[in-house]
Amino acid sequence: MNKPVLRIKNLTKSFGDTVVIKGVSFEVNPSEVIVVIGSSGTGKSTLLQCLNLLHTPDAGQIFLEDEEITSLDVNEDKVRQQMGMVFQEFNLFNHLSVLNNVAIGMVKVMGMPAGEAAKKAMKELSRVGMADHSEKYPAQLSGGQKQRVGIARALGMNPKVMLFDEPTSALDPELTGEVLAVMQKLATEGMTMVIVSHEMGFAREVADRVIFMENGYIEEQGTPEQIFENPRSQRTREFLSVINRK
Amino acid sequence: MQSAQVALESFFTMLQFLLPGLGVTVSVTMIALLMGCLIGAIMAVLRVYGNFTARSIALCYSYVVRAIPVVVIIFILYFVISEFIDLSPFMSGAVALGFASGAYQTEIFRGAILSIPSGQMVAARGIGMGRAKAIRCIIMPQALRVAIPALINEVSLVLKDSSLVFVIGVPELLRRAQYASASTMEPLLAFGTAAFFYILMTFTLTKILEAIEKRFSISF
């Protein structure tokens, strides 16, 4: 039995007076694809940003393999090197070429020589289908292309788990397909992924587990079949009926 | 025709007399700009990213220095510096100008840094960069490009402010124009030619910097 990649215990996070995450606990096993769904403002993105310590949890513990990353003396930078994050707004480095966007982390953070980093960067770009665009700059790319480069950039750091924060929410509908295809490919290659998304079709197809979040806590979780076909909770049923009506 | 020829000859004579002053003016300006750029970039980072102490120091420097006329700063620094180190009026004036320009460049760089979308820092931290590395590799290169138009303007301002160092006896362009005006009793010719030189220098420097801006520009 492989040990979990991520263990989250009683995670709590507030902003000012508002408690955004109210004691969330779950585990992520190796090569598992978890999709977190829920209405806006239920703390899904905040949860993800707590996982790689972009926000500091107020209470609770997070374990990355054996290391407790919420302990006070942890090196946050080293933790973030092991988790890849893909953002809704892409956040590509605008002053760098596509190749250097992927390579800069390898060179500056991992200390790789430039030639080796360039080769590895091209490999990751090929993985997402962007190798032909290596010399372009982010401003010259479409949204879907930018997001694929964002995925390559995160992959370049050899992460143990990939975190996706609504990766297709800022894209035109025609462009979401290319990004979802890359994500599906990563899943079949065995990447451990935690994805916050509204793409129910993707969740049905690719997720091993779906977590439905409501008001800052986990209302229900299970396989896609369980959640989408046989939801146990009333709130889950209400949410899904709203989604299906669209 | 005769008087036009005479006028042209006087102009060329004046040009030749003022020329050494041109070299001094350009040198003072260059030293001041480089010094101001270094100070400005560092102070701006302190203002945006520093702890309370660092932010306060940078804020004080920026506000106080910008509140004092540059010529006063030149005088003060000249008399302060001469107490401790034996610096020529040239170096003293250049340092004073650099010190003053640094305060304005602090605000230029600060504005540029703040204009960089916050997602850039988030993404840099996301791949495991520490804050200092993120500032150096991701934020500052972009901020510098944003700052270039304002910096081009600062070049023009420092060039003109360089004339103020005449008050401590630096033999730059304005000083020499004053000598020429006094000895030839032709103020219009002297100062007019000086003005011509200032226009020429501003034009040349601006063109160079605009070319640099084009070379490094990336559409955002």
Side-chain angles (χ1 to χ4, degrees):
Chain A
M1 183 64 189
N2 281 327
K3 58 176 187 287
V5 175
L6 272 177
R7 272 180 298 141
I8 297 103
K9 286 188 178 161
N10 266 318
L11 185 62
T12 308
K13 177 69 187 167
S14 314
F15 289 115
D17 289 332
T18 326
V19 187
V20 180
I21 303 175
K22 300 170 183 163
V24 162
S25 304
F26 64 99
E27 288 183 354
V28 183
N29 295 309
S31 298
E32 213 181 352
V33 176
I34 297 189
V35 178
V36 182
I37 62 174
S39 7
S40 305
T42 54
K44 312 194 297 289
S45 284
T46 311
L47 172 66
L48 215 63
Q49 287 157 9
C50 283
L51 292 185
N52 73 343
L53 304 177
L54 283 176
H55 291 313
T56 316
D58 294 324
Q61 295 168 302
I62 303 174
F63 294 85
L64 177 66
E65 290 183 341
D66 287 324
E67 192 191 354
E68 187 193 340
I69 63 179
T70 39
S71 76
L72 290 169
D73 53 354
V74 77
N75 184 335
E76 290 184 1
D77 297 331
K78 284 243 146 50
V79 167
R80 292 195 200 101
Q81 281 179 47
Q82 301 172 66
M83 299 205 235
M85 191 157 209
V86 178
F87 304 92
Q88 183 176 348
E89 316 84 24
F90 330 124
N91 291 337
L92 292 186
F93 303 134
N94 297 307
H95 62 302
L96 297 175
S97 67
V98 162
L99 184 75
N100 284 327
N101 257 274
V102 181
I104 192 170
M106 301 174 202
V107 174
K108 296 287 180 186
V109 179
M110 289 160 69
M112 234 190 248
E116 199 184 321
K119 257 192 273 177
K120 186 166 192 303
M122 282 304 284
K123 206 174 62 118
E124 301 300 348
L125 285 171
S126 301
R127 217 167 150 189
V128 304
M130 287 297 292
D132 289 337
H133 303 264
S134 62
E135 293 306 309
K136 291 205 179 132
Y137 281 81
Q140 301 166 290
L141 303 177
S142 73
Q145 292 172 325
K146 281 187 204 168
Q147 193 60 297
R148 286 189 280 152
V149 175
I151 295 174
R153 177 177 64 180
L155 288 173
M157 303 300 287
N158 291 333
K160 295 191 170 121
V161 57
M162 286 280 281
L163 308 172
F164 293 81
D165 191 354
E166 306 214 30
T168 56
S169 296
L171 294 175
D172 294 334
E174 319 92 71
L175 300 174
T176 57
E178 64 193 66
V179 174
L180 294 175
V182 168
M183 290 166 67
Q184 185 157 8
K185 180 164 174 258
L186 288 178
T188 55
E189 288 171 3
M191 177 64 74
T192 314
M193 299 158 76
V194 181
I195 305 166
V196 170
S197 183
H198 298 301
E199 295 286 336
M200 300 301 158
F202 177 82
R204 253 188 242 258
E205 287 265 325
V206 186
D208 296 311
R209 197 174 0 137
V210 173
I211 294 179
F212 173 60
M213 263 189 86
E214 169 81 2
N215 277 330
Y217 53 86
I218 295 180
E219 176 73 22
E220 196 174 340
Q221 61 178 309
T223 64
E225 293 73 42
Q226 287 170 341
I227 296 292
F228 291 118
E229 312 301 336
N230 284 315
R232 285 187 304 270
S233 146
Q234 176 64 13
R235 266 306 296 143
T236 317
R237 269 191 286 265
E238 282 169 10
F239 174 75
L240 288 174
S241 68
V242 170
I243 297 288
N244 286 328
R245 222 183 291 138
K246 290 206 186 105
Chain B
M1 207 55 234
Q2 188 76 305
S3 62
Q5 202 180 349
V6 169
L8 212 56
E9 278 174 9
S10 314
F11 178 65
F12 278 115
T13 314
M14 184 59 73
L15 271 180
Q16 284 175 311
F17 180 74
L18 294 182
L19 207 53
L22 188 66
V24 177
T25 292
V26 171
S27 311
V28 169
T29 304
M30 284 316 199
I31 295 174
L33 278 172
L34 280 163
M35 205 182 129
C37 195
L38 214 64
I39 295 177
I42 294 173
M43 286 290 168
V45 170
L46 289 182
R47 272 206 74 181
V48 178
Y49 297 109
N51 58 23
F52 181 72
T53 317
R55 281 202 318 269
S56 309
I57 294 174
L59 191 70
C60 260
Y61 164 71
S62 170
Y63 268 62
V64 168
V65 172
R66 283 184 302 142
I68 304 175
V70 179
V71 68
V72 174
I73 295 180
I74 292 173
F75 270 132
I76 292 178
L77 278 179
Y78 179 60
F79 291 118
V80 165
I81 289 179
S82 59
E83 291 287 311
F84 299 105
I85 324 168
D86 198 16
L87 268 184
S88 66
F90 170 83
M91 276 315 289
S92 190
V95 167
L97 263 183
F99 188 71
S101 175
Y104 293 93
Q105 294 201 45
T106 301
E107 294 310 308
I108 291 175
F109 282 115
R110 178 172 168 263
I113 291 172
L114 290 175
S115 79
I116 305 298
S118 58
Q120 295 291 300
M121 177 60 96
V122 174
R125 302 309 298 279
I127 51 174
M129 280 193 188
R131 218 160 70 128
K133 209 167 265 187
I135 294 172
R136 210 172 7 106
C137 300
I138 304 297
I139 305 294
M140 287 312 275
Q142 297 186 59
L144 197 60
R145 284 168 176 84
V146 172
I148 286 182
L151 289 176
I152 290 181
N153 190 46
E154 181 69 12
V155 166
S156 169
L157 294 173
V158 173
L159 180 60
K160 285 181 285 183
D161 281 347
S162 73
S163 59
L164 295 169
V165 299
F166 87 96
V167 299
I168 53 175
V170 180
E172 43 70 63
L173 186 56
L174 177 59
R175 210 41 156 136
R176 290 188 77 83
Q178 279 183 310
Y179 280 139
S181 167
S183 58
T184 64
M185 305 297 263
E186 302 252 20
L188 182 58
L189 180 64
F191 293 116
T193 312
F196 167 76
F197 269 139
Y198 278 115
I199 295 172
L200 199 66
M201 281 188 290
T202 305
F203 181 78
T204 310
L205 274 172
T206 306
K207 279 293 169 212
I208 293 175
L209 287 164
E210 279 172 1
I212 295 178
E213 180 188 8
K214 245 204 178 83
R215 164 74 178 78
F216 282 106
S217 79
I218 306 157
S219 51
F220 281 104

